[in-house]
């Protein structure tokens, strides 16, 4: 195992341990902080086509945000894991669009969204971020491979404040975020 791989694994483990220190109620309150900051963000307000994710229980909760953006008339895109290495964007039109997918995640079941150049903003989850916009994912490379296909989209990484670190170990395949948003209170 390479040193870089080992450093990434150690950071993932440290973040998982930090997550266990906080209750679901705390994470929910912090998620609302992040959601409010996103909703007032000029890039999100201006965007017509937004890609984000349907949150896992330990991530910044985006489930309410997904429906809020849809009600605002935005085209909402969610990722679907199509195999062990790739995500495919799918348009979200409401809760009936979701079904359990490859990793027991709720994922969109609609048609693939092919107009990648129309995606203006992507809200990206991560295990950890640093101030330079480097992101540590869960280790499968899904987002890094996908983000390489949409270089013009503005990328906002979101996380809880305790997931921010001084330096995320990166390699040439890791995609950099344009901005990181996290909660302000601990």
């Amino acid at each position: 195992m390479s040193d870089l791989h080992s450093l990434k694994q150690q950071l993932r483990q440290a973040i998982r341990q930090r997550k266990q220190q906080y209750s679901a109620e705390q994470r929910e309150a912090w998620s609302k902080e992040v959601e409010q900051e996103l909703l007032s963000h000029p890039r999100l307000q201006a965007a017509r086509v937004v890609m984000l994710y349907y949150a896992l229980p330990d991530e910044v909760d985006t489930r309410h945000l997904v429906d809020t953006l849809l009600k605002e008339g935005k085209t909402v895109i969610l990722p679907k894991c199509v195999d062990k290495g790739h995500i495919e964007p799918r348009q979200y039109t409401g809760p009936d669009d979701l079904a359990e997918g490859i990793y027991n995640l709720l994922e969109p079941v609609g048609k693939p969204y092919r107009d990648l150049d129309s995606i203006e903003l992507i809200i990206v989850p991560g295990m950890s971020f640093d101030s330079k916009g480097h992101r540590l994912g869960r280790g499968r490379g899904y987002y890094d491979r996908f983000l390489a296909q949409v270089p013009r989209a503005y990328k906002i990484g979101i996380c809880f404040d305790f997931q921010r670190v001084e330096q995320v170990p990166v390699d040439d395949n890791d995609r950099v975020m344009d901005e990181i948003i996290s909660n302000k209170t601990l």
Side-chain angles (χ1 to χ4, degrees):
M1 181 175 358
S2 72
D3 289 343
L4 181 64
H5 182 75
S6 179
L7 287 171
K8 287 182 174 189
Q9 286 300 95
Q10 289 170 19
L11 182 53
R12 285 185 189 100
Q13 186 57 36
I15 296 299
R16 283 186 196 101
Q17 289 171 351
R18 287 183 196 175
K19 285 180 179 184
Q20 292 173 2
Q21 296 173 17
Y22 303 102
S23 69
E25 293 76 23
Q26 285 172 309
R27 291 192 312 269
E28 183 179 333
W30 294 334
S31 290
K32 287 180 181 166
E33 271 187 62
V34 173
E35 178 181 341
Q36 288 310 307
E37 188 161 342
L38 283 168
L39 285 170
S40 66
H41 196 288
R43 291 234 182 217
L44 182 57
Q45 290 176 346
R48 294 177 317 276
V49 181
V50 179
M51 182 168 175
L52 64 163
Y53 63 96
Y54 210 75
L56 293 169
D58 68 341
E59 293 176 322
V60 172
D61 192 347
T62 56
R63 295 172 297 179
H64 181 258
L65 181 60
V66 166
D67 289 321
T68 299
L69 295 176
L70 189 64
K71 286 177 191 160
E72 289 179 357
K74 297 191 184 296
T75 299
V76 176
I77 309 298
L78 297 176
K80 174 168 180 55
C81 294
V82 290
D83 58 36
K84 297 275 185 193
H86 298 90
I87 56 175
E88 183 176 76
R90 304 274 175 108
Q91 187 167 349
Y92 174 79
T93 61
D96 291 342
D97 279 356
L98 299 172
E100 200 169 288
I102 203 170
Y103 294 108
N104 302 321
L105 308 172
L106 285 177
E107 296 179 324
V109 295
K111 292 180 184 172
Y113 189 80
R114 300 283 184 215
D115 189 6
L116 298 186
D117 287 339
S118 73
I119 301 173
E120 299 159 87
L121 175 67
I122 302 176
I123 298 170
V124 184
M127 289 293 287
S128 189
F129 295 92
D130 67 22
S131 62
K132 293 179 180 162
H134 297 130
R135 171 186 171 272
L136 178 71
R138 292 185 181 261
R140 297 191 199 288
Y142 283 108
Y143 271 92
D144 292 316
R145 278 187 291 280
F146 178 75
L147 293 173
Q149 299 174 52
V150 284
R152 294 191 351 226
Y154 191 83
K155 297 167 285 304
I156 299 177
I158 62 172
C159 64
F160 299 115
D161 192 63
F162 65 80
Q163 292 175 268
R164 295 181 86 138
V165 297
E166 191 172 316
Q167 185 176 358
V168 169
V170 293
D171 62 35
D172 293 341
N173 297 317
D174 294 320
R175 301 293 160 193
V176 178
M177 301 295 103
D178 295 298
E179 188 175 346
I180 310 300
I181 293 177
S182 62
N183 61 294
K184 304 292 187 241
T185 57
L186 267 183

